[in-house]
Amino acid sequence: MPEYLQMQSVPVDSNWTDLKGYVFGSSYPTQNPEELLERIIIASSNPGDLVLDAFAGSGTTGAVAEKLGRRWIMIDCGKLAIYTMQKRLLNLKREIGNKGKLLKAKPFTLYNAGLYDYQKLKQLPWEEYRDFVLKLFQCRDEPHRIAGVQLDGYLGADDVLVFNYQKYKDAVLDRGFIDDIHSILGDKIGRRFFTIAPAASVAFLEDYIERGNTRYFVLRIPYSIIDELHRKGFTHIKQPVSEMDVNNTVDAVGFDFIQIPDVECEYYLDEPEGQAALGHSGKDAVIKIQKFESNIISKKPLHYENMETLSMVMVDYDYDGKVFNFDEVFYAEDLKKQNYELRFNSNKLDGQIMLIYIDIFGNEKREVKKLEDFRKR
């Protein structure tokens, strides 16, 4: 194992005052400098070794391990941490301190793990699986046909299809699947249509795709605890509502499984204050959050007011349709001061943006928006 030298002939001691502290102004409030992790990794491993960080935060360990030729595993319970790590590895620079030319990281996988047995669920016979997932999302089991398409039930008044991944093993739910469903059912169904499918069978990230007057939602079988399979309770980790709370994701509420929160927003373009007086023509794109309510099913009765469970909103301003590479995070505490408005220059809407609304329990609502989705005032 190599000896790390502080100077040419003096080994480093236990007092590392030559290294700086947190990287203030970074995308993660308690981000450590890469120089610190460089020293630790070189002193404790060799090239090709596996480095594990169980409280990975901003992902400094993985980033430096990648640069130093080590393999790595990073773990964290915070959604901000997870997306920060992903962003960091997608935008890695070769030199320590994140300088120099871009370094393309070796392929890596993002796993969302919990106290569940997903394989056990997938091994259920089709009828048991179908019954389970309908109950999982509180759908009524009422088989019916529309335009020759066999559907499985209703969520409220809306039609539900359970995707038979066992029968169509090589099929994926992509935009073409949505287009095909819409061409057959588009004028025969309401404003919402739901498909239940394993997350691995879905080829797009957003929670719904809009065609005509209908939103086609995909309810992904959640990678979370499934109480029916484990017969045990669960205490879920809360997500932060402010930058100061990023590392305090511990207090929790028991629940059976996750569900997408209800989010309603107004999207419009607005002349920022003082802009016209300065002779500028640019407009702000404004997202006004009007409703945010979580849909957790708790083991004890709980009631939350509108906006009370909002944790943060994360934005990727140039979403490529494949990977969410976030650019900015808006915490609930700051949004409250801004009357729950997200504002950014409309010039950032060249292509499409992805928004991820996250509640304090880690549930997500994802949307993809383009400039034409923002009305003029």
Side-chain angles (χ1 to χ4, degrees):
M1 186 177 299
E3 181 182 65
Y4 195 95
L5 299 181
Q6 185 169 324
M7 294 188 301
Q8 185 70 25
S9 59
V10 182
V12 68
D13 60 23
S14 60
N15 187 4
W16 292 1
T17 54
D18 60 308
L19 294 176
K20 58 186 178 180
Y22 289 146
V23 184
F24 295 108
S26 65
S27 59
Y28 199 83
T30 55
Q31 179 174 323
N32 282 309
E34 291 194 355
E35 291 81 0
L36 171 62
L37 271 298
E38 177 191 30
R39 180 172 295 180
I40 293 171
I41 291 172
I42 289 178
S44 58
S45 67
N46 292 310
D49 283 352
L50 181 62
V51 177
L52 183 145
D53 187 346
F55 304 93
S58 64
T60 305
T61 299
V64 175
E66 182 76 22
K67 296 176 186 183
L68 297 177
R70 274 70 167 172
R71 296 171 298 141
W72 50 265
I73 296 173
M74 293 190 287
I75 304 169
D76 207 287
C77 59
K79 287 295 180 76
L80 176 62
I82 298 299
Y83 288 122
T84 299
M85 285 185 247
Q86 178 172 277
K87 175 183 177 65
R88 188 166 189 169
L89 288 162
L90 292 172
N91 299 275
L92 209 57
K93 299 289 183 64
R94 291 183 180 276
E95 298 176 21
I96 298 299
N98 210 33
K99 302 172 184 176
K101 296 181 179 179
L102 284 173
L103 171 64
K104 186 175 181 180
K106 293 184 287 295
F108 62 91
T109 302
L110 174 62
Y111 288 100
N112 187 355
L115 302 177
Y116 60 88
D117 189 344
Y118 188 57
Q119 291 303 317
K120 185 175 180 181
L121 174 61
K122 291 187 70 173
Q123 290 167 6
L124 290 174
W126 170 250
E127 284 304 319
E128 292 182 31
Y129 169 86
R130 177 185 169 280
D131 177 68
F132 177 80
V133 298
L134 285 170
K135 291 177 179 176
L136 185 69
F137 292 104
Q138 297 181 292
C139 302
R140 299 197 309 279
D141 187 353
E142 296 182 17
H144 60 287
R145 299 180 75 87
I146 298 180
V149 178
Q150 181 64 47
L151 303 177
D152 293 274
Y154 299 92
L155 180 54
D158 300 307
D159 299 289
V160 174
L161 168 69
V162 179
F163 176 65
N164 193 335
Y165 74 94
Q166 295 181 359
K167 183 177 181 180
Y168 304 103
K169 294 183 178 180
D170 297 325
V172 294
L173 274 68
D174 54 14
R175 288 173 175 77
F177 173 86
I178 300 297
D179 290 339
D180 291 343
I181 289 288
H182 182 67
S183 67
I184 300 170
L185 305 178
D187 59 347
K188 301 176 181 64
I189 56 178
R191 296 183 63 84
R192 301 192 305 174
F193 182 89
F194 294 91
T195 300
I196 301 175
S201 298
V202 184
F204 49 87
L205 289 180
E206 53 264 52
D207 295 311
Y208 67 86
I209 291 178
E210 206 158 5
R211 293 289 183 266
N213 294 321
T214 302
R215 287 183 173 182
Y216 292 87
F217 288 83
V218 176
L219 303 177
R220 295 163 172 82
I221 308 302
Y223 295 124
S224 62
I225 180 170
I226 299 173
D227 195 60
E228 285 89 338
L229 296 183
H230 287 270
R231 305 299 178 190
K232 65 173 73 171
F234 181 58
T235 302
H236 193 48
I237 298 161
K238 279 191 176 180
Q239 303 299 314
V241 298
S242 71
E243 188 173 3
M244 298 298 294
D245 291 337
V246 164
N247 291 319
N248 297 329
T249 53
V250 287
D251 191 20
V253 174
F255 77 110
D256 293 333
F257 48 84
I258 62 175
Q259 294 204 65
I260 298 170
D262 294 328
V263 183
E264 293 179 6
C265 299
E266 181 185 6
Y267 303 87
Y268 64 91
L269 298 176
D270 186 40
E271 193 82 38
E273 188 176 344
Q275 187 90 316
L278 294 172
H280 297 165
S281 59
K283 290 184 179 292
D284 278 350
V286 183
I287 301 172
K288 169 73 172 177
I289 306 174
Q290 298 170 318
K291 175 184 177 182
F292 187 94
E293 295 180 355
S294 296
N295 289 311
I296 64 163
I297 297 178
S298 175
K299 296 180 181 301
K300 51 188 175 182
L302 294 168
H303 175 73
Y304 295 98
E305 299 296 331
N306 186 31
M307 306 291 186
E308 190 176 354
T309 59
L310 177 62
S311 169
M312 68 186 78
V313 183
M314 306 182 75
V315 186
D316 180 353
Y317 290 117
D318 54 354
Y319 175 56
D320 65 2
K322 297 178 181 179
V323 178
F324 179 74
N325 189 358
F326 95 89
D327 295 302
E328 192 166 3
V329 57
F330 297 84
Y331 293 101
E333 187 176 272
D334 299 322
L335 287 170
K336 185 177 181 179
K337 298 173 185 175
Q338 302 298 324
N339 201 22
Y340 292 101
E341 286 186 353
L342 286 75
R343 284 181 174 265
F344 52 89
N345 194 300
S346 60
N347 293 332
K348 294 182 178 181
L349 284 164
D350 276 346
Q352 59 185 2
I353 64 171
M354 173 172 270
L355 299 139
I356 301 184
Y357 304 86
I358 303 176
D359 72 10
I360 58 175
F361 308 106
N363 300 306
E364 299 179 2
K365 172 69 176 288
R366 302 181 179 193
E367 288 187 336
V368 174
K369 294 293 178 182
K370 298 181 179 179
L371 182 59
E372 53 263 34
D373 295 316
F374 289 75
R375 64 179 181 81
K376 295 181 180 179
R377 272 198 165 183

